[in-house]
Amino acid sequence: MFTHFSPAEKEVHAPADKRVFIAFKPYIFVIIGILLATSAGAAWLQYLLTGLPADPSVINSITTATAPKGFPVWVRLSHWVNFFFLSLIIRSGLSILFDHPRLYWNNGCTPKSEWIRFTPVKIPEDKVWTAKEDARYISPWLGLPGYRHAVGIARVWHFLTVPFFLTNGIVFIALLFYTDQWKRLVPVSWQIFPDSWSVFVHYATFNMPIEPNGFYHFNALQQLSYFGVVFILAPLAMLTGMAMSPAIENRFHWFPKLFGNRQSARSIHFLIMIAYVGFIVIHVSMVAASGLVRNMNHIVIGTDTTDARGLYMGIGIVLATVLFCILAYWLSWNKQRSLQYMEGAVNGTIWRNTWNHLKPRAYYQKKDISPYFWPNGKMPSSEIWQQLAATNFKNYKLKIGGLVENPVELSLEELQNMAKEQNITMHHCIQGWSGIAEWGGIPISEIVALVKPHASVTTVAFYSFGEGLYGGVYYDTHTLDNCLKPQSILAWEMNYKPLPPEYGAPLRLRVENQLGYKMVKWISSIEFVETYKTLGKGQGGKNEDDEYFDLLANT
Ligand SMILES: Nc1nc2c(c(=O)[nH]1)N[C@H]1C(S)=C(S)[C@@H](COP(=O)(O)O)O[C@H]1N2
Ligand SMILES: [Mo]
């Protein structure tokens, strides 16, 4: 429904193989077993051996006189705003995850080292298997926008949501402490832990504890879990998200290390999502089990009454969110370009004015080089490239032109004699994987100095011998500014050896503060232009044109 795929798009987005699949490393079962044994298992043991512990809600009955009374309108609003944006964030996050349906603890994303995968595919060892081929289908009921390889639009939803989610959270926490509502969420005594355990033993052994009236205060376990969601899960979600950004990683190298590395940050980001979903399921069940009608009045209209108004309005809010999800789905498959622009206008602008000014640095050492490096993109099928490859690119000439004083054509040897810069850096693919490699090649600044672009030049376009996913010349553009950074090179060397064909021979781009799709492989020519708007479909690159990838640093 709402989708109208061309045959080529159908093959990408709605392939025949839609199998749902999850596989874990065996140790994950051991961890789940240990977690169950030390929680529910221990609770049952205590219950069977010593009986039910005293109900802390009864012993420590807090006088309602000092407790915050009821739910002011800002609590109710931010609760539902949060619900709305969480549903967008989680669903778009799932779509992003399925574009590289594997999670790792190591930076290099070596196949078979993933601790969980959502694909039945075992990576073939006898042929090139690209990351784009590895993307998996996810039902649009679950993912936003769903289907296969819609990472561009999924990122639009994910990143458009973040500023609102963050603002809502900041306003909520500020008002929490400005009023006395913080007393609901923030434990003030260590007693919270034994009390929470007692409550947990009750739940785990199906003995409902006496519920305090949530209009005034929560039970210990409830308080502790709300505290955890607001003050631990939400900040961790933001920080692990940021740890995946190339622009941040390349400048603040220590940052992803807070979580191990980029891939463990991605894994933790996923586990936080699981924790959120687990919380939502338990939270909603408890709300229903402990007096649905009254609880809905608390959080929707702010009264402690037993009429059904809150329930009806609550259902209305949920339905409105569902309707918005349907609208989002329709937009995702009918108004891709507008969505892409919207995201570019918000986040592209923020990004361009902040992190993108930072100069990337190469921090990695030889020992960090990944044993495996995912290949991506279609190998060039053009005869010209194949002939050049057959003779080791001896007859290759890089054409450099456009708005320059001195257009040139340079052989590989001539380029190699000009200058060389070597860096060990991490590649950040938009799909989620990464890899560390050494790259050697000529700084683009040397080429700029040689050809002398006109003063009106803002943008440099790099064209490939290869084609995009849907055919047509693969190209991408960078700001002249970005090209002048010392780490921006045209590489002919990977891991101290000549660049292999599948990684972009004879020349490929490395621009280290950017996502992987901007690093054109199999470069045929370079053009200096006034604007990217006159090239291709005018979005700044092949993936931006055809796959709605982020419009980031283009101006
Ligand atoms: N010519 C060309 N260059 C390309 C691509 C492509 O499809 N064609 N894919 C890009 C993407 S999405 C990525 S992640 C990197 C992958 O580089 P690698 O194969 O060395 O890992 O190349 C980029 N350069
Ligand atoms: Mo990529």
Side-chain angles (χ1 to χ4, degrees):
M1 203 177 51
F2 295 151
T3 58
H4 13 72
F5 295 139
S6 68
E9 284 168 337
K10 186 155 183 291
E11 207 179 302
V12 170
H13 296 310
D17 181 3
K18 297 191 181 68
R19 277 173 296 163
V20 178
F21 188 90
I22 300 185
F24 301 96
K25 277 263 148 72
Y27 72 80
I28 301 301
F29 292 105
V30 177
I31 291 176
I32 294 173
I34 292 174
L35 285 178
L36 276 177
T38 54
S39 57
W44 270 98
L45 201 65
Q46 178 179 349
Y47 174 55
L48 294 176
L49 291 180
T50 66
L52 209 53
D55 187 336
S57 315
V58 179
I59 316 170
N60 307 332
S61 76
I62 311 161
T63 50
T64 43
T66 60
K69 198 163 158 207
F71 294 87
V73 64
W74 58 267
V75 170
R76 290 178 270 137
L77 253 178
S78 65
H79 171 274
W80 290 108
V81 168
N82 195 55
F83 161 73
F84 175 80
F85 286 117
L86 257 185
S87 62
L88 294 183
I89 288 199
I90 292 177
R91 296 184 59 243
S92 55
L94 285 172
S95 249
I96 296 172
L97 172 66
F98 273 60
D99 216 47
H100 188 69
R102 304 167 190 272
L103 291 166
Y104 319 79
W105 302 111
N106 71 85
N107 254 336
C109 304
T110 311
K112 293 195 195 140
S113 73
E114 63 270 335
W115 62 271
I116 184 170
R117 69 184 149 97
F118 306 92
T119 169
V121 173
K122 297 229 168 84
I123 294 153
E125 276 161 26
D126 53 341
K127 63 168 186 176
V128 178
W129 179 253
T130 67
K132 275 186 188 171
E133 289 173 285
D134 200 51
R136 274 319 273 185
Y137 173 89
I138 178 171
S139 159
W141 291 100
L142 256 187
L144 174 67
Y147 292 88
R148 181 172 165 274
H149 192 51
V151 65
I153 296 297
R155 282 168 63 93
V156 169
W157 292 114
H158 211 66
F159 294 132
L160 267 184
T161 312
V162 169
F164 295 99
F165 183 70
L166 188 64
T167 310
N168 184 52
I170 290 172
V171 170
F172 174 75
I173 289 173
L175 286 172
L176 205 59
F177 288 103
Y178 182 71
T179 65
D180 65 353
Q181 287 286 333
W182 64 269
K183 290 182 187 165
R184 280 182 185 284
L185 298 194
V186 185
V188 287
S189 146
W190 295 112
Q191 188 60 31
I192 188 81
F193 289 106
D195 284 357
S196 293
W197 177 255
S198 303
V199 175
F200 177 74
V201 175
H202 279 79
Y203 287 137
T205 57
F206 310 114
N207 291 289
M208 286 295 146
I210 295 167
E211 290 295 344
N213 183 351
F215 203 60
Y216 301 100
H217 56 91
F218 303 134
N219 80 36
L221 184 59
Q222 194 179 6
Q223 182 180 39
L224 197 61
S225 35
Y226 292 179
F227 177 83
V229 168
V230 174
F231 293 99
I232 299 174
L233 285 192
L236 267 185
M238 316 257 173
L239 296 175
T240 49
M242 287 165 68
M244 288 183 260
S245 151
I248 293 176
E249 193 271 342
N250 273 299
R251 184 61 188 74
F252 304 100
H253 186 57
W254 51 270
F255 186 72
K257 283 194 177 158
L258 295 176
F259 307 100
N261 55 56
R262 184 188 190 222
Q263 292 305 320
S264 40
R266 183 167 174 261
S267 289
I268 296 170
H269 200 68
F270 165 81
L271 290 171
I272 291 167
M273 183 276 292
I274 293 292
Y276 260 111
V277 171
F279 170 80
I280 292 168
V281 169
I282 295 172
H283 174 61
V284 172
S285 322
M286 293 307 299
V287 163
S290 64
L292 179 65
V293 169
R294 195 159 176 179
N295 285 333
M296 289 304 275
N297 278 341
H298 291 172
I299 200 62
V300 179
I301 53 180
T303 65
D304 191 24
T305 53
T306 51
D307 58 291
R309 269 192 310 153
L311 179 62
Y312 289 139
M313 284 174 67
I315 292 174
I317 297 171
V318 174
L319 281 181
T321 306
V322 172
L323 275 181
F324 187 85
C325 284
I326 296 172
L327 173 69
Y329 170 72
W330 180 82
L331 289 168
S332 299
W333 294 108
N334 293 275
K335 297 282 168 213
Q336 291 92 326
R337 195 67 81 203
S338 312
L339 288 177
Q340 186 191 27
Y341 280 169
M342 215 150 64
E343 205 261 334
V346 178
N347 290 310
T349 308
I350 296 176
W351 220 242
R352 196 159 42 239
N353 291 317
T354 54
W355 305 111
N356 259 345
H357 287 299
L358 301 173
K359 282 206 171 55
R361 286 200 223 156
Y363 297 87
Y364 291 99
Q365 297 166 8
K366 211 167 168 176
K367 65 172 172 50
D368 302 319
I369 291 176
S370 308
Y372 183 84
F373 205 95
W374 277 83
N376 224 352
K378 269 192 213 156
M379 289 282 278
S381 56
S382 85
E383 222 165 276
I384 305 176
W385 183 83
Q386 280 169 355
Q387 276 172 11
L388 288 171
T391 52
N392 249 333
F393 301 100
K394 234 178 50 218
N395 303 321
Y396 170 74
K397 290 263 186 192
L398 171 67
K399 298 176 200 62
I400 310 167
L403 301 170
V404 295
E405 228 168 82
N406 178 32
V408 287
E409 292 197 7
L410 297 167
S411 72
L412 213 45
E413 209 187 330
E414 286 167 316
L415 286 163
Q416 284 165 347
N417 287 334
M418 276 171 71
K420 185 175 177 191
E421 162 95 17
Q422 275 172 291
N423 300 305
I424 302 174
T425 57
M426 187 197 281
H427 181 93
H428 299 70
C429 176
I430 193 172
Q431 296 184 271
W433 57 271
S434 44
I436 299 169
E438 181 269 352
W439 306 101
I442 181 171
I444 303 169
S445 57
E446 296 283 336
I447 291 174
V448 172
L450 176 70
V451 299
K452 301 191 178 67
H454 298 169
S456 62
V457 165
T458 65
T459 305
V460 190
F462 299 84
Y463 298 93
S464 174
F465 287 109
E467 296 189 339
L469 189 58
Y470 299 108
V473 173
Y474 192 97
Y475 77 100
D476 212 306
T477 62
H478 290 268
T479 58
L480 184 56
D481 228 29
N482 250 343
C483 291
L484 293 174
K485 288 179 178 150
Q487 307 286 305
S488 301
I489 63 175
L490 288 175
W492 56 72
E493 176 181 285
M494 178 186 191
N495 296 336
Y496 311 99
K497 293 198 191 89
L499 191 61
E502 64 272 30
Y503 294 101
L507 279 180
R508 69 156 317 149
L509 200 52
R510 296 301 313 169
V511 180
E512 298 301 346
N513 60 338
Q514 299 289 313
L515 285 163
Y517 63 91
K518 303 211 54 105
M519 317 215 180
V520 182
K521 309 201 297 187
W522 310 292
I523 292 179
S524 60
S525 61
I526 300 177
E527 187 185 8
F528 287 76
V529 293
E530 267 173 22
T531 167
Y532 60 85
K533 293 196 171 117
T534 50
L535 312 175
K537 292 184 193 162
Q539 310 308 324
K542 192 65 181 162
N543 278 315
E544 293 91 323
D545 283 350
D546 292 355
E547 298 182 50
Y548 308 101
F549 279 13
D550 310 33
L551 307 172
L552 274 186
N554 307 311
T555 18

